[in-house]
Amino acid sequence: MTTTQVRPRSRFAAWLLEDAGEQHSQIPGPMAKRAPKEHQHSWWKVMCLTGVDYFSTLGYQPGIAALAAGVLSPLATLVLVALTLLGALPVYRRVAKESPHGGGSIAMLAKFLPNWWGKILILVLLGFAATDFTITMTLSAADGAAHIVENPLMPDALHGHNMLITLVLLALLAAVFLKGFSEAISIAVVLVGVYLSLNLVVAVVGVVRVITHGSMVTDWTHALTTQHGSPIAMIGVALLVFPKLALGMSGFETGVAVMPQIKGCPEDTEEYPRMRIVGARKLLSTAALIMSGFLIVSSLITTILIPEDAFKDGGPANGRALAYLAHERLGNAFGTVYDISTIAILWFAGASAMAGLLNLVPRYLPRFGMAPEWARQIRPLVLVFAAVSFGITWYFDASVDAQGAAYATGVLVLITSAAVAVTLSAARQQQRSRVIGFSVVTLILIYTTIDNVIEKPEGAQLALLFVIAVLVVSFASRFRRAFELRAVTVTFDEKAAAMIDSLAARGEVRIVTHEIDKREPEEYAEKEADQRRESHIPEEEPILFLEVIVKDPSEFSTELLVTDVEIDKYHILSVEAAAVPNCIAAILLAIRDRTGAPPHVYFEWTEGNPLMNLLRFMFFGEGEVAPVTREILRRAVPRRSQRPHVHVDS
């Protein structure tokens, strides 16, 4: 017997929600959905998807290093590489092991805080993740547009149209994901392969040039000693300026966020998908080693071969140091091919960010009731993220420099949260040596994050706006969805099912709700007498008590297991749930569907201020039970004749 009248979808809506469908459930409802289709690929292919973000930083990282550290750029880059390989990489290899389903450090940290505190922490970290991933899309597209405009072979008509070009690139990125994940990964594999090959050519040519012209190295080392004196002073300055190079560590969080895309093996279990973890660790290690090698070589050759003035704002190497070398050392033809490859990978750098968002948002917000159910589906989310990226691009006027601070803030907060998570995990498992090592990494990352925020507070301000937006939208959705059934399944144990069937065979099924105080026969006897008197239940009509134990009110959807508890001559249906009214409504509908007739349910009025009771329901799952249960049933079952009968004593 159905409870809702489903309107036929338009062709567009059917395409948009193609992955949505109902799975078999004992009750109908918005939570009875099958999971979206899984897309799984070899680890190296998924590495290319995350690598379009990570590797694309080669397009601007050497220039950032040169501006921040000058002739010390190679040494500062070595510090960055050391932190990457000895700090960030071990941290995320552990994250991959302990959160193999894509929750990342967000899921790990939430385990240390119960109930609402854990949910709020997740929302805050999702705000920073949204900052990181959204700015990755907009900044990379804007940088790609800048490379298009600055290429000497491009027509002058494109100059001054960075905004339009950026929006077109973002729209094309969204179109790829509307097509599917497999297409996105296939494009990423090609782009990463071509881009790294071209960078290898530039790097080899640059190294050969440096080796064959020893005077350039001599001039560089002379500049080092002239400007900074002793090696100790050089190291000190490099340590101070390396936080400005922190963008070179981007990509780790998306690497673990897209772990569900990594193909495992048949022997993997849901609790411990061993081969997926192995693949993720290979992904992280391979990407980090490739990037570290390119960062060291590129910082060395760009510092030695490119004049210092060329890195400055408006200079030909500003934000495109390797592209500058490609044109200068290998000619405009090769340089243009390099530019096209750079533009393509910068355009598609947002793909890893989009993939991360498409994994994180459905994993948390719909499950918490903090987003509509369609937020579990890929295509609607792609359109939402595309619209947000359009707005961010318009707000920053497609400026690469203006978005850099927010990007760095998001990246550093997520990496720092991962370091904190693995430190706490190691402490919980009493692994002292690892606690010390991870603590050192955490302190370095905290220093880096604070330094970045102090120098560029606008990045933290934008990230805070993202956090506030996530919190406001999430709680608004939670309030709007508060009157849904919120039950995935309702299962009766053998004794409970037998009692329900027995009552249905004798006539009406009558359920008396009861708030647990003391499970003693006298309490149930008093409750039965009150309800029979107030609600006029005939003495010969048997009743069942129903008790709901609120376990974690911050949860939204739950699987209900109803058990029969016997106390003297009384039978009690007992169940654990997140919210009392929603649970009662779901059980009543399950009884109706089992017996073929709507049951009767009896309540007492709740004492206290109605507004306070409503807030108690919203946050603690209790409160004004009777009217809220009736409202949930009214919304779930349009036809009054099919609804369970709700009685409230006088």
Side-chain angles (χ1 to χ4, degrees), residues 487-506:
V488 180
T489 58
V490 178
T491 304
F492 299 101
D493 74 358
E494 187 175 342
K495 291 177 63 179
M499 285 302 304
I500 292 169
D501 294 341
S502 174
L503 264 63
R506 297 175 59 179

Side-chain angles (χ1 to χ4, degrees), residues 264-340:
C265 68
E267 289 75 25
D268 285 355
T269 63
E270 183 68 17
E271 295 76 20
Y272 187 70
R274 188 180 68 84
M275 288 308 298
R276 179 191 296 173
I277 295 171
V278 171
R281 288 182 156 188
K282 289 180 180 178
L283 180 159
L284 295 167
S285 300
T286 304
L289 289 170
I290 291 173
M291 189 62 177
S292 296
F294 273 111
L295 283 176
I296 293 171
V297 173
S298 63
S299 66
L300 183 66
I301 62 175
T302 54
T303 302
I304 295 175
L305 298 178
I306 299 177
E308 188 174 348
D309 290 342
F311 290 109
K312 295 179 179 178
D313 190 22
N318 181 252
R320 54 190 301 275
L322 290 175
Y324 174 90
L325 286 181
H327 280 275
E328 185 185 61
R329 300 297 171 187
L330 295 162
N332 283 336
F334 181 89
T336 298
V337 173
Y338 183 89
D339 280 342
I340 293 172

Side-chain angles (χ1 to χ4, degrees), residues 108 123 131 508 597:
M108 290 181 64
L123 294 179
T131 306
E508 304 282 0

Side-chain angles (χ1 to χ4, degrees), residues 263-481:
K263 186 183 298 183
C265 68
E267 289 75 25
D268 285 355
T269 63
E270 183 68 17
E271 295 76 20
Y272 187 70
R274 188 180 68 84
M275 288 308 298
R276 179 191 296 173
I277 295 171
V278 171
R281 288 182 156 188
K282 289 180 180 178
L283 180 159
L284 295 167
S285 300
T286 304
L289 289 170
I290 291 173
M291 189 62 177
S292 296
F294 273 111
L295 283 176
I296 293 171
V297 173
S298 63
S299 66
L300 183 66
I301 62 175
T302 54
T303 302
I304 295 175
L305 298 178
I306 299 177
E308 188 174 348
D309 290 342
F311 290 109
K312 295 179 179 178
D313 190 22
N318 181 252
R320 54 190 301 275
L322 290 175
Y324 174 90
L325 286 181
H327 280 275
E328 185 185 61
R329 300 297 171 187
L330 295 162
N332 283 336
F334 181 89
T336 298
V337 173
Y338 183 89
D339 280 342
I340 293 172
S341 175
T342 302
I343 292 164
I345 200 166
L346 285 170
W347 157 63
F348 213 62
S352 63
M354 180 73 83
L357 286 170
L358 292 175
N359 174 70
L360 289 177
V361 170
R363 181 172 299 279
Y364 294 110
L365 296 187
R367 181 162 60 89
F368 296 166
M370 293 178 170
E373 272 303 300
W374 55 255
R376 295 179 185 269
Q377 311 307 322
I378 290 175
R379 286 171 179 161
L381 283 182
V382 170
L383 296 179
V384 170
F385 298 147
V388 172
S389 66
F390 286 175
I392 295 294
T393 298
W394 171 81
Y395 178 79
F396 285 109
D397 196 27
S399 169
V400 176
D401 294 335
Q403 299 177 71
Y407 180 39
T409 300
V411 169
L412 288 172
V413 168
L414 289 180
I415 294 179
T416 303
S417 70
V420 171
V422 298
T423 303
L424 293 174
S425 174
R428 175 177 285 184
Q429 298 178 36
Q430 299 181 345
Q431 299 170 330
R432 293 185 179 181
S433 60
R434 295 185 181 183
V435 169
I436 294 172
F438 288 138
S439 296
V440 171
V441 174
T442 301
L443 291 174
I444 294 173
L445 289 171
I446 290 174
Y447 154 71
T448 305
T449 304
I450 294 174
D451 180 84
N452 179 268
V453 171
I454 292 174
E455 182 174 352
K456 297 180 178 180
E458 64 273 17
Q461 293 166 4
L462 180 64
L464 182 61
L465 289 178
F466 268 93
V467 171
I468 293 173
V470 169
L471 288 170
V472 170
V473 171
S474 297
F475 278 103
S477 177
R478 177 77 179 226
F479 293 153
R480 189 184 66 82
R481 298 187 60 191

Side-chain angles (χ1 to χ4, degrees), residues 50-58 60-61 64 128-140 143 245-252 254 291 346 349-350 352-353 392 396 399-415 452 456 458-460 462-463 466:
T50 63
V52 288
D53 171 26
Y54 194 22
F55 300 142
S56 70
T57 57
L58 287 171
Y60 48 82
Q61 183 71 17
I64 293 175
F128 283 105
T131 306
D132 177 7
F133 296 161
T134 304
I135 299 299
T136 296
M137 290 190 287
T138 58
L139 183 147
S140 299
D143 201 13
L245 282 62
L247 290 181
M249 291 193 295
S250 65
F252 279 102
T254 52
M291 189 62 177
L346 285 170
S352 63
I392 295 294
F396 285 109
S399 169
V400 176
D401 294 335
Q403 299 177 71
Y407 180 39
T409 300
V411 169
L412 288 172
V413 168
L414 289 180
I415 294 179
N452 179 268
K456 297 180 178 180
E458 64 273 17
L462 180 64
F466 268 93

Side-chain angles (χ1 to χ4, degrees), residues 63-185:
I64 293 175
L67 284 175
V71 293
L72 275 176
S73 171
L75 187 56
T77 301
L78 278 175
V79 175
L80 174 67
V81 167
L83 181 59
T84 298
L85 298 180
L86 302 179
L89 180 58
V91 163
Y92 276 96
R93 282 174 61 88
R94 181 158 186 144
V95 171
K97 179 181 179 181
E98 299 198 15
S99 183
H101 302 294
S105 59
I106 296 176
M108 290 181 64
L109 283 173
K111 294 177 182 178
F112 295 97
L113 287 176
N115 300 332
W116 279 111
W117 292 113
K119 301 296 187 298
I120 292 172
L121 175 64
I122 287 175
L123 294 179
V124 170
L125 291 177
L126 281 177
F128 283 105
T131 306
D132 177 7
F133 296 161
T134 304
I135 299 299
T136 296
M137 290 190 287
T138 58
L139 183 147
S140 299
D143 201 13
H147 277 71
I148 292 174
V149 171
E150 292 167 8
N151 186 276
L153 299 182
M154 289 294 162
D156 293 337
L158 292 178
H159 288 276
H161 294 287
N162 292 52
M163 170 76 77
L164 179 60
I165 297 172
T166 302
L167 293 177
V168 170
L169 293 177
L170 289 170
L172 290 173
L173 177 66
V176 171
F177 277 89
L178 288 174
K179 180 65 177 175
F181 259 93
S182 296
E183 288 77 7
I185 290 179

